Amino acid sequence: MDELVNLTKLDCRKCPNLRKIPLTLVNLTTLVCWSCPKLQSIPSTLVNLTTLHCGNCPNLREVPTTSVNLTEVDCHACRKLQVIPSTLVNLTTLYCGNCPNLQVIPSTLVNLTILDCRNCPKLQAIPSTLVNLTKLACGWCELQEIPSTLVNLTKLDCGGCHNIRVIPSTLVNLTELTCSDCLNLQAIPPTLVNLTTLDCWGCPNLQVIPSTLVNLTILICWSCPNLQEIPMTLVNLTKLSCANWPNLQEIPETLVNLTTLNCWGCPELQAI
């Protein structure tokens, strides 16, 4: 393969015995090499890469710092990967979930619009500089907070982040929010009026669903023992799951657009 110096795209996924990518493929712009269990590195000579998909390479230790033209990287499930290079300032999309040794998302990646870093148990922070993010999936990380600067987010999944106490009230462009199993979450901000989907099941300290969330069509809030009522203002709901509420007494009559209702395990519910 060393002679194929004019290659611009290479897809060598699922090659169980592939150990290396040739250094001579300097014209590559797209490299897809996921699920190559013996691959340990990407050559630093691939400076023209714009797209790199190297997910599920369990022995891959790093992404080249020299590939500064990269705009999209998928390195999910790379178990030995510890660092995303801070030099990749042109990245707009980064999938790095299920990397158990990844500790930091560089603050220099200011052009990111999509970041999926779910299930990175050593990751403790999302940089406040990533102000262009529109989609963030950071569930099951050790995050302490969601930065209030991420005002362009439209989709946020922080489910399973047990240390998060609040969702920033500044995230007014959110249309989809998943904050399920956030054990210390205390409130959903009433400012999130553009939400159409809210998934907040398993939040034992959540006490109120704001009545201002009038654009909600999907509300999943089962096993929230401190919630006591569904706001009657949520008239656009089509799907409601409020199962396992010990104190729920009624389903509002105003929810006439419901097509799916799950309300099992509500011992105080007297009528539907």
Side-chain angles (χ1 to χ4, degrees):
M1 193 183 288
D2 287 345
E3 295 79 17
L4 303 178
V5 294
N6 292 314
L7 275 183
T8 59
K9 297 182 180 180
L10 172 60
D11 188 337
C12 53
R13 74 185 80 181
K14 294 185 177 181
C15 291
N17 292 306
L18 183 67
R19 294 179 179 272
K20 64 179 182 177
I21 305 295
L23 299 173
T24 54
L25 305 185
V26 295
N27 289 306
L28 278 184
T29 60
T30 300
L31 174 59
V32 180
C33 56
W34 49 265
S35 295
C36 293
K38 293 185 179 180
L39 187 66
Q40 295 187 20
S41 64
I42 307 294
S44 60
T45 54
L46 307 187
V47 296
N48 290 306
L49 281 180
T50 59
T51 301
L52 173 60
H53 291 181
C54 55
N56 198 31
C57 291
N59 287 302
L60 186 68
R61 294 181 177 274
E62 61 183 5
V63 174
T65 60
T66 53
S67 299
V68 296
N69 292 308
L70 282 169
T71 60
E72 180 177 332
V73 170
D74 183 345
C75 55
H76 76 278
C78 290
R79 300 190 62 82
K80 293 186 178 180
L81 185 70
Q82 296 183 0
V83 177
I84 303 296
S86 59
T87 54
L88 307 186
V89 295
N90 290 307
L91 276 184
T92 60
T93 302
L94 174 59
Y95 297 99
C96 56
N98 293 292
C99 292
N101 288 301
L102 184 65
Q103 298 185 37
V104 176
I105 303 295
S107 60
T108 53
L109 308 187
V110 295
N111 289 307
L112 278 180
T113 59
I114 298 173
L115 173 59
D116 187 336
C117 55
R118 286 174 288 189
N119 200 27
C120 293
K122 293 185 178 180
L123 188 63
Q124 297 187 9
I126 302 296
S128 60
T129 53
L130 307 188
V131 296
N132 289 308
L133 282 178
T134 60
K135 298 178 182 180
L136 172 60
C138 55
W140 304 99
C141 297
E142 290 299 312
L143 302 182
Q144 302 296 314
E145 62 179 2
I146 303 296
S148 61
T149 53
L150 308 186
V151 295
N152 289 307
L153 282 179
T154 59
K155 296 183 180 181
L156 172 60
D157 179 354
C158 58
C161 292
H162 296 162
N163 296 319
I164 290 179
R165 294 181 177 273
V166 295
I167 304 296
S169 60
T170 53
L171 307 187
V172 295
N173 289 308
L174 281 178
T175 59
E176 297 183 22
L177 172 59
T178 298
C179 52
S180 53
D181 202 32
C182 288
L183 301 182
N184 287 300
L185 185 68
Q186 298 178 358
I188 304 294
T191 54
L192 307 187
V193 295
N194 290 307
L195 279 182
T196 59
T197 300
L198 174 58
D199 185 346
C200 57
W201 62 263
C203 293
N205 289 302
L206 187 63
Q207 298 186 28
V208 176
I209 302 294
S211 61
T212 53
L213 308 186
V214 295
N215 288 307
L216 279 181
T217 58
I218 298 174
L219 175 58
I220 302 172
C221 52
W222 50 270
S223 293
C224 293
N226 282 315
L227 285 177
Q228 298 191 21
E229 62 180 6
I230 305 295
M232 62 184 301
T233 54
L234 307 187
V235 295
N236 289 307
L237 282 179
T238 59
K239 180 179 180 180
L240 172 60
S241 180
C242 53
N244 199 26
W245 280 26
N247 297 311
L248 182 66
Q249 296 184 7
E250 62 178 359
I251 305 297
E253 295 180 354
T254 53
L255 308 187
V256 295
N257 290 307
L258 282 178
T259 59
T260 301
L261 173 62
N262 294 318
C263 56
W264 52 265
C266 295
E268 298 298 321
L269 186 63
Q270 299 180 12
I272 297 177

